[in-house]
Amino acid sequence: MDFRLTARQAQLKADARDLTEFIMKYELDCEENNGLPAKAHTEIRDAVLESGLQAVNMPAEWGGAGLTIAEQATVQEELGRLTGALWDMVWRPANALRFCTPEQRERYLVPVIRGQRRDCYAVTEPGAGSDPQNLSTTATRNDAGWVLDGEKWFVTVGDHADFMIVLAAAGPERAPTLFLVDKDTPGIEMTRVPRFMHTFVYEHPEFTFTDVQVGDDAVLGGIGEGYDITRSWFTEERLMIAARTIGAAERGLELARDWAVEREQFGSPIADHQMIQAMLADSAVDIAVNRAYFHQVAWEVDQPDTDRKTLHAKASIAKLAASEASGRVIDRCLQIFGGRGYDRSYPVERLYRELRVDRIWEGTSEIQRLIIANELIKRGTGVLDLPVAP
């Protein structure tokens, strides 16, 4: 076994760290103003394009960075150090856009890769969260194509994006289908922009769709393929969440370690006290173990002939373990900082609020446990196995 980063991964890690350090200077502005001005968006977009880390999940022949899953995880771990979810400004087009027709690709995907357009994914509904099969948004066939009606919640980047990938039940068969819909299409209304616990550089608005007419060319991937396309995206996105949360946890530990060494109480640095040492040590363990696992699974995804169902469960293990471990780490780090850790101008406070959502979105911790248990019950403990070389 060789667990070293390849030369390419090491370079990607360094490039991603440089980009992260550049974007980091916008963190306080984002926190204090609940977002960034247009000038900052332009500056960061230009820096992303200069770094070559735009659209890391898209092929180079389309203009993306063309990275493997393992390489993407390496990049995402570095970007996860950013607060304000500024990592999302280093855009990764929705994986569903890989299913574009050539015409759709030129209209939607290529401009996203170039930083000229932005997509958002509209799946969740008031009654369809962890169970997307309870869809109420419908697509009804007519002579001009399809008419969409319904409501979507938690549409991340919905305020900034100019087109949407909408999941709807199509036709009398209620076939789950994805549609590409320009946001300025008549009948789409952004009805509410909730204020969530974290500060996010983009918002997560709610939308209604009333008699929204789209053509047949709006169907993405085919009628009835919406769930399958979305599921394949979940596997990769859950791995990227694992990577980002561990990157965030490591930044928190670095800050807490430096604070513990410098901060004196009772005549000596607080790092001399065993209870502080225990929190530092436990945090290092949480980070090290989870980093090793998500890198392993990301590598497995890149291998040919791997079992997709097993990898789906392994991605759930990675997301569940890393998101919960990072929450523990940041909780300890905030405690080490004491009262200053409760100050929003300190990164550990922002990370504390922001990491909480990683146990909810792209499948709650409870859903991850159900996926893992289902794999164990149906197919045994193979989900725990290491891959064997041919």
Side-chain angles (χ1 to χ4, degrees), residues 157-379:
V157 197
D159 60 321
H160 192 80
D162 63 345
F163 74 94
M164 317 174 82
I165 303 168
V166 182
L167 180 63
E173 300 82 9
R174 295 185 49 80
T177 303
L178 294 172
F179 293 87
L180 293 167
V181 187
D182 291 311
K183 204 172 73 176
D184 60 1
T185 304
I188 297 176
E189 181 182 0
M190 189 164 68
T191 54
R192 179 171 174 258
V193 181
R195 289 301 306 274
F196 291 105
M197 186 166 77
H198 63 214
T199 300
F200 202 109
V201 66
Y202 302 118
E203 301 287 2
H204 318 264
E206 297 170 6
F207 289 89
T208 57
F209 299 79
T210 306
D211 297 331
V212 177
Q213 178 71 60
V214 297
D216 284 319
D217 59 353
V219 174
L220 177 62
I223 302 298
E225 296 183 9
Y227 287 152
D228 290 338
I229 292 172
T230 302
R231 263 195 297 269
S232 66
W233 172 72
F234 273 143
T235 298
E236 293 185 20
E237 187 54 34
R238 286 166 182 165
L239 278 174
M240 299 310 145
I241 288 173
R244 288 195 298 269
T245 55
I246 294 306
E250 183 173 27
R251 183 185 181 192
L253 180 58
E254 289 171 1
L255 293 168
R257 177 266 172 201
D258 292 348
W259 178 259
V261 169
E262 297 166 5
R263 173 71 167 165
E264 291 194 3
Q265 290 288 282
F266 307 107
S268 67
I270 63 173
D272 290 345
H273 303 306
Q274 289 182 339
M275 295 190 108
I276 299 295
Q277 292 173 6
M279 287 192 280
L280 293 172
D282 286 344
S283 295
V285 170
D286 275 333
I287 292 168
V289 171
N290 281 282
R291 169 176 289 140
Y293 188 72
F294 82 70
H295 274 290
Q296 173 200 319
V297 179
W299 177 86
E300 287 186 50
V301 173
D302 288 325
Q303 305 313 302
D305 302 322
T306 50
D307 183 82
R308 295 294 110 180
K309 290 183 178 179
T310 300
L311 286 176
H312 183 64
K314 286 188 172 185
S316 288
I317 292 174
K319 190 227 184 223
L320 172 65
S323 63
E324 296 201 346
S326 64
R328 294 192 297 269
V329 170
I330 295 301
D331 185 79
R332 298 183 195 113
C333 293
L334 191 151
Q335 192 72 11
I336 290 169
F337 269 88
R340 286 177 177 82
Y342 218 59
D343 182 336
R344 289 191 178 207
S345 66
Y346 282 71
V348 291
E349 188 279 338
R350 301 195 296 273
L351 290 169
Y352 182 85
R353 282 183 287 123
E354 292 165 11
L355 283 169
R356 185 61 183 85
V357 75
D358 290 296
R359 286 183 268 165
I360 297 172
W361 60 8
E362 322 311 357
T364 64
S365 288
E366 292 71 29
I367 289 296
Q368 306 313 312
R369 288 183 168 92
L370 290 176
I371 292 169
I372 297 162
N374 186 62
E375 177 72 9
L376 289 168
I377 291 166
K378 285 186 173 180
R379 309 175 74 194

Side-chain angles (χ1 to χ4, degrees), residues 40-176:
H41 280 271
T42 299
E43 291 168 352
I44 293 173
R45 181 201 63 199
D46 292 346
V48 173
L49 291 170
E50 185 177 351
S51 75
L53 294 176
Q54 75 282 358
V56 295
N57 58 332
M58 290 295 159
E61 58 265 30
W62 295 349
L67 304 191
T68 66
I69 298 301
E71 290 167 346
Q72 290 179 47
T74 299
V75 169
Q76 291 298 308
E77 184 179 1
E78 292 300 318
L79 296 176
R81 299 170 64 88
L82 292 163
T83 66
L86 291 169
W87 46 264
D88 205 19
M89 300 187 77
V90 186
W91 58 92
R92 293 171 64 245
N95 284 347
L97 294 174
R98 294 175 185 168
F99 294 85
C100 283
T101 64
E103 294 77 15
Q104 290 172 333
R105 187 185 309 144
E106 290 304 311
R107 180 177 174 183
Y108 293 104
L109 177 55
V110 171
V112 173
I113 291 172
R114 292 173 178 165
Q116 298 164 346
R117 300 194 73 175
R118 188 66 193 259
D119 59 301
C120 61
Y121 217 84
V123 175
T124 304
E125 298 178 357
S130 295
D131 179 12
Q133 298 187 62
N134 194 28
L135 278 177
S136 62
T137 298
T138 59
T140 305
R141 170 74 81 177
N142 68 4
D143 292 340
W146 298 88
V147 177
L148 305 182
D149 289 281
E151 183 176 7
K152 295 294 183 180
W153 285 14
F154 308 129
V155 183
T156 301
V157 197
D159 60 321
H160 192 80
D162 63 345
F163 74 94
M164 317 174 82
I165 303 168
V166 182
L167 180 63
E173 300 82 9
R174 295 185 49 80

